[in-house]
Amino acid sequence: MTVPTSLVVLGRQGSGKGTQCARLAEHYDIPHISTGDMLRAAAEAGTPMGREAKAFMDRGELLPDEVITGVVAERLAQPDAAERGFLLDGFPRTVGQARALGELAALDLVVDLDVPRELVVERMEARGRADDTPEAIARRLDLYEEQTRPLTRHYEEQGLLVVVDGVGSMDEVERRLVAAIDERRQARSA
Ligand code: AMP
């Protein structure tokens, strides 16, 4: 029987977090819950929440904590997440969201996928997307430092945080992540 596994992955934009989360979700057979993907899908579908989300996303701002927490609460209540666990990607992004998540679910591990700022800037500039102007990149990374970095302290205090070196090939980084997660799962089921 598989042990339900509840994970949060933190990491700067451009850290390879999305790709690694997809791989990990497949590896552990748990739903990959990416709030960015959910919001983009809702915006595309033109739902009321999607239209509200789009305005924030277009400005590069975070949605209010209550709104995004409601979206995540609904998703976590679905049977797949309730039974098998989940991998949260892009949530929580603020300490308020982390507190709200604490009321919704028990976490096994929070992984901080660590890639130095200079390197993610290089990567994002190289991919040359229209929204990747140097100013926009700097703003998103500053926002991450201001609002999301304090989460690492929050989770460290709870004994849930593990920092994984995100520099290397996709396969190498995936192996490091799986090793860190398996270590925690074994400790838990021992
Ligand atoms: P992402 O793809 O994770 O960078 O998310 C894209 C956009 O969706 C962000 O720039 C925010 O506007 C919004 N968003 C995603 N997740 C959250 C969150 N946890 N809290 C607030 N806004 C979010």
Side-chain angles (χ1 to χ4, degrees):
M1 220 200 77
T2 54
V3 199
T5 304
S6 305
L7 305 171
V8 166
V9 180
L10 304 174
R12 294 190 171 90
Q13 281 201 316
S15 64
K17 176 168 65 74
T19 307
Q20 293 297 341
C21 284
R23 288 180 173 213
L24 290 174
E26 193 177 324
H27 182 91
Y28 291 105
D29 191 26
I30 51 179
H32 173 196
I33 303 178
S34 157
T35 46
D37 286 352
M38 288 171 73
L39 297 175
R40 279 184 288 274
E44 186 82 3
T47 65
M49 191 278 287
R51 283 201 296 273
E52 186 185 355
K54 190 171 185 310
F56 285 96
M57 292 164 82
D58 286 347
R59 292 196 300 269
E61 288 172 15
L62 295 181
L63 270 72
D65 283 353
E66 316 77 68
V67 177
I68 189 73
T69 300
V71 171
V72 170
E74 238 176 70
R75 181 62 189 87
L76 292 182
Q78 301 290 314
D80 58 346
E83 283 158 22
R84 300 207 303 274
F86 53 82
L87 187 159
L88 278 169
D89 170 8
F91 182 96
R93 281 250 229 305
T94 66
V95 172
Q97 292 177 17
R99 295 220 172 92
L101 177 61
E103 309 274 306
L104 291 172
L107 298 175
D108 294 310
L109 194 63
V110 177
V111 181
D112 181 14
L113 185 60
D114 186 36
V115 177
R117 181 166 173 142
E118 310 78 65
L119 200 60
V120 300
V121 169
E122 258 175 48
R123 283 186 194 170
M124 284 193 277
E125 284 179 353
R127 70 187 184 186
R129 269 179 12 192
D131 59 338
D132 281 350
T133 62
E135 297 74 29
I137 293 171
R139 197 155 51 91
R140 292 201 300 265
L141 289 172
D142 286 345
L143 192 69
Y144 185 83
E145 291 308 323
E146 276 165 38
Q147 302 210 291
T148 308
R149 181 61 60 201
L151 289 186
T152 56
R153 280 193 295 279
H154 174 85
Y155 285 125
E156 196 167 21
E157 280 163 20
Q158 295 188 5
L160 285 171
L161 187 77
V162 59
V163 181
V164 172
D165 177 6
V167 181
S169 72
M170 291 290 181
D171 287 345
E172 234 165 22
V173 174
E174 186 186 2
R175 276 196 294 276
R176 281 181 211 141
L177 287 164
V178 167
I181 296 164
D182 283 351
E183 194 179 318
R184 172 61 62 117
R185 275 157 53 101
Q186 275 152 20
R188 200 167 56 105
S189 57

